[in-house]
Each structure stands twice: as structure tokens, then as C-alpha cells.
Amino acid sequence: MITKRIIPCLDVKDGRVVKGVNFAGLQDVSSPVELAEYYTRSGADELVFYDITASAEGRGLFPDILRRTASRVFIPLTVGGGINTLEDFDRVLKCGADKVSVNSGAIRNPDLIRQAALRYGSQCVVLSADVKRVDGQFRVFGRGGRDDTGMEAIGWIKHCVDLGAGEVVVNSIDTDGVKGGFDLEMLAAVCQAVKVPVIASGGAGRTEDFVRLFQTLPGVDAGLAASVFHFGEIAIPHLKAQLRQAGISVR
């Protein structure tokens, strides 16, 4: 059985970790450097760092806070936000990232995925897809969930994997921050469409949500969450113990 990963997510705005509901109403949480240290000690398998306003503000990701955060992390680090060119990939990797997450940059130029996979390897290229239901269809959103692209999400995700994305983070805008459980319908559709690792994001509220995720969808490789970890509602060691008790293999 594939070992499941538990991944905290740092949504960073103006150098601080923030969290909202349905991608809106952001509230200050903590320093990304402090949280990175905490999660490294707490048994997280990986860490995701998103500069969530870089694309909307039309700028590159802030390198200083990323370097300081990466220097305290001793687990794989995925970084995204304002990734539009191969130079952005290079800059983020040199700051200490292990993998680079691309979203709006790929929407504008899908060939960026192919170019990055050729230069750095598919294992380094992570597609982050912000998805919301619109008129009964899974729709891709850009610029941090602000813009409806009009593109059907499952076909878009499959296309990006075909171009070379080695991993997919599926961010459900509908369930983000609601804490009512992961979007299993959306995730099932993605798992059927692609053969690369799929990371579920959006909706975790209890340890039972992670148990249900992995038991219902064995094809999902990892569960990603933010506020339930940031505010101590779920402790990662306890979560992993509960998953093992449910017969789910974790690191």
C-alpha cells in the first residue's frame, strides 16, 4: 500500500501566514518561519508555501521570507505564487524549494509546464488547481480563486499532467476553510483522470475527515490542510496514530 502523506499549508500574505474561508476573509495566523519549524518537529511529511497574492498583484514571490522559511525546514518544501517563467522556477529552487507549484502561470501559458518538466524533471513540477462548481461543472479558477477561467477542471488537470506535471494539488474552493470534509466527488474525478500523485486540499475539520478521505479514495496520495493544524485543532502525531489505527499506512 502507498504510504499516505500529511501536508500542512502555509498561505502567506505580506510575509505572514493567513487563513480564510472559501478563499476569502483572510485572518492573520503566525510567522511562516515559526510554523515551518513547528511542523518540521511535529512529524509533517512535507510543507507547502503559497504566496497567495503574488499572481493577483502581478509580482514575483518574495524571496527573503522564503529563504528564511526554507532554512528552517528539513522536510520536502513545495513553493508557489507568481510562478510565470522558467526563471521563476529557478529563483524559487535556489531559495530552497524542492518542488515548484504553478497555477495562474500555467493557465496563461500551459507550455510552461512542459518547459519546466524538461529542465527540472516532472517530479519538480506541481500543478495547483483551484476548482469550484459553476452551473454543475467543475471549473478552474485563476489568480488565487478570483477569476473564473471558463475551463472545465478535470480536462485541464489531465492536459497539464500530459504536459509533464508530476503531481496535482486539488484545491476545492467550495470546501476551503469550511471544515466539513474533503471534496470527495471532485477528488474522485481527478483520480480517475490522472495517474500521478493527487493531493487533496480544502475541507479538513477533524481527524475523521482524513480517515474517510483515504478509505474512500485510496488513489489520493496526501491530505493537505491549514487552519486545523495552525490552530491546534488537529495534532499531526495524533492524526497519524488515528490513521494507523484505521489501517491506513502513513510515514
Side-chain angles (χ1 to χ4, degrees):
M1 180 186 294
I2 296 174
T3 302
K4 306 304 183 184
R5 292 171 284 155
I6 301 301
I7 306 176
C9 178
L10 309 181
D11 291 325
V12 179
K13 181 179 186 289
D14 299 328
R16 297 284 294 178
V17 175
V18 296
K19 194 67 191 87
V21 177
N22 304 129
F23 282 35
L26 300 177
Q27 297 180 348
D28 183 80
V29 176
S30 183
S31 154
V33 180
E34 292 174 4
L35 279 179
E37 289 182 316
Y38 168 73
Y39 288 128
T40 298
R41 295 194 307 267
S42 297
D45 298 302
E46 298 186 16
L47 192 65
V48 169
F49 178 114
Y50 288 142
D51 185 332
I52 60 171
T53 57
S55 290
E57 295 171 2
R59 59 169 172 80
L61 187 147
F62 291 127
D64 293 342
I65 190 68
L66 173 56
R67 282 194 198 95
R68 288 198 288 135
T69 302
S71 70
R72 309 293 181 90
V73 175
F74 303 102
I75 52 179
L77 175 64
T78 298
V79 176
I83 306 298
N84 296 296
T85 65
L86 286 181
E87 288 71 26
D88 291 329
F89 268 81
D90 194 59
R91 182 165 52 89
V92 167
L93 291 168
K94 285 177 178 174
C95 284
D98 298 284
K99 294 183 277 189
V100 181
S101 176
V102 62
N103 185 339
S104 296
I107 291 170
R108 283 188 290 271
N109 175 25
D111 197 54
L112 175 62
I113 292 175
R114 184 190 63 81
Q115 294 171 7
L118 285 172
R119 180 176 293 188
Y120 303 107
S122 290
Q123 78 288 342
C124 183
V125 182
V126 179
L127 174 69
S128 178
D130 297 335
V131 184
K132 183 178 182 179
R133 289 168 179 79
V134 179
D135 297 329
Q137 182 186 63
F138 294 130
R139 198 79 64 79
V140 178
F141 278 66
R143 293 199 324 128
R146 294 168 178 82
D147 297 342
D148 182 352
T149 67
M151 292 192 297
E152 187 276 320
I154 307 306
W156 164 248
I157 291 169
K158 185 177 187 309
H159 177 57
C160 291
V161 169
D162 290 342
L163 286 171
E167 192 167 74
V168 177
V169 179
V170 184
N171 306 301
S172 171
I173 298 175
D174 294 319
T175 61
D176 174 70
V178 177
K179 300 181 182 179
F182 291 97
D183 197 326
L184 301 180
E185 179 190 15
M186 182 184 294
L187 291 162
V190 175
C191 288
Q192 284 185 332
V194 301
K195 301 302 181 187
V196 299
V198 173
I199 299 172
S201 171
R206 308 174 300 157
T207 56
E208 290 81 3
D209 293 329
F210 287 89
V211 172
R212 187 178 178 213
L213 169 70
F214 295 130
Q215 286 183 336
T216 305
L217 299 175
V220 169
D221 289 76
L224 181 150
S227 58
V228 290
F229 295 145
H230 299 340
F231 298 120
E233 296 165 44
I234 297 177
I236 291 175
H238 174 71
L239 170 58
K240 288 191 170 185
Q242 293 293 104
L243 290 170
R244 290 189 193 98
Q245 202 169 57
I248 298 163
S249 179
V250 293
R251 296 184 181 183

